[in-house]
Amino acid sequence: MTITTTDTGLGSHHVIEEPESRTFRVRRTAMTSQDVFEAERERIFAHTWLYLGHESEIPDKGDYVRRPVGGRPLFMVRGAKTGEVNVFHNTCTHRGAAICRADKGSQKVFQCFYHAWTFDSEGELKGVPGEDAYVDEIDRAGLALQKVRTESYRGFVFVTFDPEIEDLTTYLAGARQYLDYVVDAMNGEVEVVPGTNEYGFDANWKLLVENSIDGYHASSTHDTYFKYLQTLGTDLSIGVSGVTKDLGNGHAVLEYRAPWGRPVASWEPLFGEDSKEEIAQLKADLVEKHGPEKAEMMTEINRNLLIYPNLVINDIMAVTVRTLVPTAPDRVEVTAWEIAPKGELPQLRQRRLDSFLTFLGPGGFATPDDLEALESCQQGFSSGGVEWNDISRGMGRAAQATDEEQMRAFWRRWRDQLDTTN
Amino acid sequence: MTTITRENAATVTRAEVEDFLYQEAALLDEWDLPTWLDLFTEDAIYQVPCNDDPTGAGDRSLMLIDDNRLRLASRVERLGSRKAHREYPHSNLRHFISNVRILEQDSEVLKITCSMLVGRFRANRETWYCARADYDLLLSGGAFRIRRKRVALDMTTLRHSSDVAIIL
Ligand code: FES
Ligand SMILES: [Fe+2]
């Protein structure tokens, strides 16, 4: 479908905010239109920082992981000479074949299987079979593997396809402090747990952005999960209370107190009596190091953090890192990892693993129901009889955990980026 | 359920194991999950590792499913409710079991492996899961009990199947 935007930009055509009447609406074609999907690729995904992976995934020289980012095939390798994290477009500079052909591993030399050119882990072109056929000397520098602009913040590696945009730290704005909570609570020793969740479903990616930071749907959609928690002995009577915030640049957070414990220094009976003391010690250490206020934030408060446009970090019973990549207006691919402190007590690690897979995993007691909800929204959009989604909840008041201010933060940034025509 | 007249698991034949696996499959296909749950021992585990980590263990890897008996009972209860939205109404399921092999057996326990293909059909969507399944079966009182069921998926990701909200 073609969208005519004569007097407004593509973003403003889809997002209408009216503070006087406290309404915020998103036109449903934002989730269905091919034009919007293509504009997102060009105006958002090519001009933001996108999460690729964690430095701890490639601890040693030559270690690599291969994965697409924003739909482009990349690989990240720790350079054998410099020890730096290099990210390359995963395509041979000769005629295009994939250079890195496994999802992870370790090697210092990458040989293209097509005509056997070789590159080292810094991207330099090393070997060209039959090089004397190039009558003038071959342009080795020009034919090196193409680097992607890469920066990392406290171990989280991001890339961008825009050479012009601000540095990563500035880009992260208010979200930086929340990454600090995660990393400091793990004493800076973060590892990615083996095992990746890679799934997909038939809905627009922005529905999953909304869902990942939506406190309003929890009790209605996830009734069976809360039942399960009760079976385990969790007392749900205190309920969930908190706030939602705009963190700038489209980043947003939902943060709340909840009845369940946290493996970082908030004990509950499920963790077992034998871990009570260690958890108290962990907490005492954090209080000493960071002061009571920050320690309280790190240990007692749960949060669902959105780093615009497509990274979600849930810092709850377990810490999850997930990216959402659109492949069509009505299709999204999710990749999720679990991060945890290195050298954690086995019983705490076990609780963390259990929490992740029972709540957030695609075989768990909650995520499948989210997928069902989002696919049913997407199907509902095709009715065409209803033009707008309403995202006004909590407008005009200090936004609470079940309000929608955090989603409005995302949509405002989305609107502004889609209005640009770079 | 299959009644095995033998006392000693060491003499159980593949055909008897197959009968048992077929009956388990039928219970799953018929969504008779409470009866299915009764096949499991109190110390049973049911696991599905992540696609990229087929040998992962539940105490150090993220898994797709890592149920002890308590969690398995919660899963059965959840799937029986109208609030497991992804499976309400239930999918049509068909479990195919083949290539059954007895890997080890002694007087009490059999280690079994087989190939498994599960079709899942719901709301105009069709999903196939292809896997290797490993079982530890206990023979007691003339019946098999499952002590361990581990289903390692052959698909490299869940991109197409999207979830494992059913029991494989
Ligand atoms: S495409 Fe890589 S060597 Fe030719
Ligand atoms: Fe949810």
Side-chain angles (χ1 to χ4, degrees):
Chain A
M1 127 185 29
T2 311
I3 291 167
T4 41
T5 52
T6 41
D7 45 3
T8 57
L10 191 56
S12 297
H13 178 75
H14 283 92
V15 178
I16 307 273
E17 177 164 20
E18 287 164 348
E20 330 71 57
S21 60
R22 293 186 181 139
T23 48
F24 194 104
R25 293 179 299 161
V26 173
R27 205 184 286 265
R28 291 180 171 185
T29 47
M31 267 71 71
T32 56
S33 139
Q34 186 69 28
D35 290 353
V36 167
F37 170 74
E38 279 159 24
E40 284 175 340
R41 279 239 155 146
E42 288 162 27
R43 300 175 196 177
I44 298 178
F45 283 86
H47 298 282
T48 50
W49 284 99
L50 299 169
Y51 180 70
L52 183 147
H54 195 268
E55 281 185 29
S56 66
E57 294 178 79
I58 50 167
D60 299 319
K61 291 179 172 181
D63 290 354
Y64 67 86
V65 295
R66 166 184 84 155
R67 60 186 59 133
V69 174
R72 310 190 197 204
L74 306 182
F75 70 107
M76 138 170 119
V77 55
R78 193 171 290 278
K81 269 186 244 156
T82 58
E84 301 282 301
V85 174
N86 296 318
V87 178
F88 300 111
H89 290 278
N90 190 10
T91 179
C92 182
T93 51
H94 178 222
R95 299 234 305 273
I99 287 296
C100 178
R101 299 181 69 227
D103 288 334
K104 57 176 179 246
S106 187
Q107 63 199 55
K108 292 186 176 135
V109 173
F110 293 83
Q111 181 169 55
C112 180
F113 73 99
Y114 195 7
H115 312 92
W117 284 21
T118 49
F119 302 85
D120 70 12
S121 54
E122 310 288 356
E124 280 175 41
L125 175 59
K126 288 294 178 192
V128 176
E131 198 175 337
D132 54 2
Y134 298 87
V135 178
D136 301 321
E137 205 173 313
I138 193 163
D139 176 13
R140 273 179 192 272
L143 291 165
L145 288 180
Q146 278 304 300
K147 273 198 180 168
V148 182
R149 188 177 161 199
T150 303
E151 283 178 34
S152 72
Y153 183 77
R154 304 208 66 184
F156 295 87
V157 179
F158 290 74
V159 296
T160 182
F161 305 108
D162 182 350
E164 306 289 321
I165 66 165
E166 62 207 318
D167 65 276
L168 175 64
T169 309
T170 310
Y171 173 85
L172 289 173
R176 233 166 54 211
Q177 174 186 13
Y178 289 88
L179 284 174
D180 289 343
Y181 290 148
V182 172
V183 177
D184 288 335
M186 297 184 183
N187 266 323
E189 295 273 304
V190 176
E191 70 181 6
V192 177
V193 175
T196 316
N197 289 170
E198 297 172 274
Y199 53 102
F201 58 102
D202 293 329
N204 187 269
W205 67 285
K206 300 184 290 299
L207 297 181
L208 185 56
V209 168
E210 293 180 343
N211 173 270
S212 297
I213 49 175
D214 176 14
Y216 188 28
H217 80 290
S219 61
S220 46
T221 304
H222 300 311
D223 182 76
T224 63
Y225 178 71
F226 293 115
K227 272 223 174 72
Y228 162 70
L229 283 186
Q230 279 171 322
T231 309
L232 295 182
T234 304
D235 174 10
L236 297 178
S237 61
I238 73 153
V240 167
S241 62
V243 296
T244 61
K245 286 185 201 160
D246 178 338
L247 299 176
N249 278 348
H251 316 311
V253 71
L254 152 68
E255 54 188 344
Y256 51 100
R257 275 175 204 281
W260 46 81
R262 309 195 58 225
V264 177
S266 183
W267 186 84
E268 68 165 323
L270 264 179
F271 295 164
E273 285 296 325
D274 52 338
S275 60
K276 207 168 183 174
E277 224 168 277
E278 277 96 337
I279 293 194
Q281 190 57 50
L282 266 176
K283 172 115 184 203
D285 292 347
L286 289 173
V287 169
E288 193 182 346
K289 223 171 167 177
H290 302 283
E293 244 165 79
K294 190 173 166 195
E296 169 88 355
M297 286 299 285
M298 290 193 280
T299 58
E300 303 292 337
I301 307 293
N302 297 263
R303 65 202 123 244
N304 295 22
L305 172 69
L306 166 72
I307 295 183
Y308 185 88
N310 74 331
L311 171 65
V312 174
I313 296 183
N314 291 319
D315 184 6
I316 49 177
M317 294 162 278
V319 183
T320 72
V321 176
R322 65 156 70 133
T323 61
L324 333 170
V325 177
T327 58
D330 59 354
R331 181 82 192 155
V332 58
E333 292 190 346
V334 185
T335 306
W337 299 269
E338 173 165 16
I339 59 171
K342 262 184 203 146
E344 186 174 36
L345 279 179
Q347 64 268 41
L348 298 188
R349 179 60 64 92
Q350 188 69 65
R351 277 299 301 145
R352 208 184 266 285
L353 289 161
D354 285 356
S355 297
F356 188 121
L357 71 91
T358 51
F359 185 47
L360 295 145
F365 293 4
T367 287
D369 298 330
D370 285 321
L371 305 185
E372 183 71 6
L374 305 187
E375 287 186 345
S376 77
C377 292
Q378 189 75 29
Q379 286 156 18
F381 298 156
S382 57
S383 83
V386 177
E387 202 180 342
W388 299 92
N389 276 351
D390 182 276
I391 309 189
S392 317
R393 197 174 160 81
M395 264 178 101
R397 70 170 183 184
Q400 299 172 10
T402 56
D403 287 347
E404 292 166 345
E405 179 57 20
Q406 70 289 26
M407 296 171 212
R408 293 189 285 274
F410 168 84
W411 279 112
R412 287 185 195 113
R413 174 75 173 168
W414 183 91
R415 175 195 62 203
D416 293 347
Q417 282 205 297
L418 244 65
D419 279 347
T420 62
T421 43
N422 46 24
Chain B
M1 256 313 112
T2 336
T3 316
I4 311 283
T5 47
R6 302 172 204 280
E7 292 296 312
N8 189 334
T11 59
V12 166
T13 65
R14 186 177 72 206
E16 286 166 323
V17 170
E18 282 173 348
D19 280 349
F20 173 76
L21 294 177
Y22 295 162
Q23 286 174 35
E24 188 212 348
L27 292 172
L28 289 170
D29 293 346
E30 289 155 11
W31 285 95
D32 185 358
L33 300 184
T35 308
W36 174 79
L37 183 63
D38 285 340
L39 300 179
F40 286 77
T41 62
E42 285 306 312
D43 62 348
I45 53 170
Y46 164 57
Q47 298 181 315
V48 181
C50 283
N51 303 63
D52 68 335
D53 189 25
T55 60
D59 59 351
R60 53 189 151 78
S61 298
L62 178 61
M63 309 276 279
L64 290 167
I65 293 175
D66 183 20
D67 287 352
N68 55 18
R69 173 69 195 238
L70 175 74
R71 197 177 301 148
L72 197 56
S74 293
R75 187 176 295 278
V76 165
E77 190 190 329
R78 165 179 149 80
L79 286 169
S81 90
R82 302 165 69 104
K83 291 189 169 169
H85 309 290
R86 193 59 155 178
E87 273 301 326
Y88 182 78
H90 285 148
S91 301
N92 299 335
L93 295 184
R94 189 64 58 197
H95 285 71
F96 296 86
I97 305 292
S98 79
N99 306 40
V100 176
R101 286 183 291 150
I102 299 176
L103 298 180
E104 273 175 49
Q105 65 192 122
D106 61 24
S107 57
E108 283 180 339
V109 183
L110 297 100
K111 288 192 179 296
I112 306 300
T113 190
C114 64
S115 299
M116 183 181 276
L117 188 62
V118 183
R120 178 189 183 193
F121 307 91
R122 178 175 180 267
N124 208 23
R125 179 205 295 271
E126 50 183 277
T127 312
W128 289 94
Y129 299 87
C130 186
R132 168 184 167 135
D134 283 276
Y135 288 80
D136 288 358
L137 296 182
L138 207 67
L139 182 65
S140 76
F144 286 124
R145 288 273 174 278
I146 302 170
R147 184 186 269 169
R148 182 177 82 109
K149 175 174 178 177
R150 183 181 165 99
V151 182
L153 298 166
D154 293 317
M155 303 91 81
T156 57
T157 68
L158 277 182
R159 297 274 187 236
H160 296 286
S161 23
S162 104
D163 62 50
V164 270
I166 55 159
I167 292 173
L168 292 172

